[in-house]
Amino acid sequence: MVFPEAVAVADALLDPGMGELVWVDSGAGQPHVLSVDGLFCRRLGERVGRGWPGPLAAADHGGPLIAWMGSVIRLRRGAGGPPGTTTAPGGCAGSMSR
């Protein structure tokens, strides 16, 4: 069974515009704490039709949504990841996505 919310979240996380919202919310190079009512969380909530993205991001510091947001920010800052890991925020290796 596929839940429509899961599909909507996956679709949103693959949208480059959503990554841009995370970057803007992060301070766009001037780091600061991510806001629970930032552009990304509000837009994600609109796309999913729920109000939970902001509170989830605020409470779940080790969860997959925050991990994805962090990877987008690190990539934009040029920090990348550990050697041998992908640079795609979606987690797909370049050779596998061709």
Side-chain angles (χ1 to χ4, degrees), residues 42-63:
R42 284 195 309 249
R43 186 73 48 86
L44 183 59
E46 291 168 6
R47 289 178 74 154
V48 175
R50 304 281 187 204
W52 55 257
L56 174 67
D60 191 15
H61 299 288

Side-chain angles (χ1 to χ4, degrees), residues 17-95:
M18 294 298 284
E20 183 64 26
L21 294 178
V22 170
W23 177 244
V24 169
D25 285 348
S26 76
Q30 302 297 321
H32 62 72
V33 177
L34 288 169
S35 172
V36 299
D37 65 345
L39 296 171
F40 170 77
C41 289
R42 284 195 309 249
R43 186 73 48 86
L44 183 59
E46 291 168 6
R47 289 178 74 154
V48 175
R50 304 281 187 204
W52 55 257
L56 174 67
D60 191 15
H61 299 288
L65 184 59
I66 286 292
W68 178 85
M69 294 167 74
S71 70
V72 168
I73 294 165
R74 284 188 302 279
L75 287 170
R76 290 294 297 266
R77 287 186 187 148
T85 60
T86 180
T87 58
C92 297
S95 61

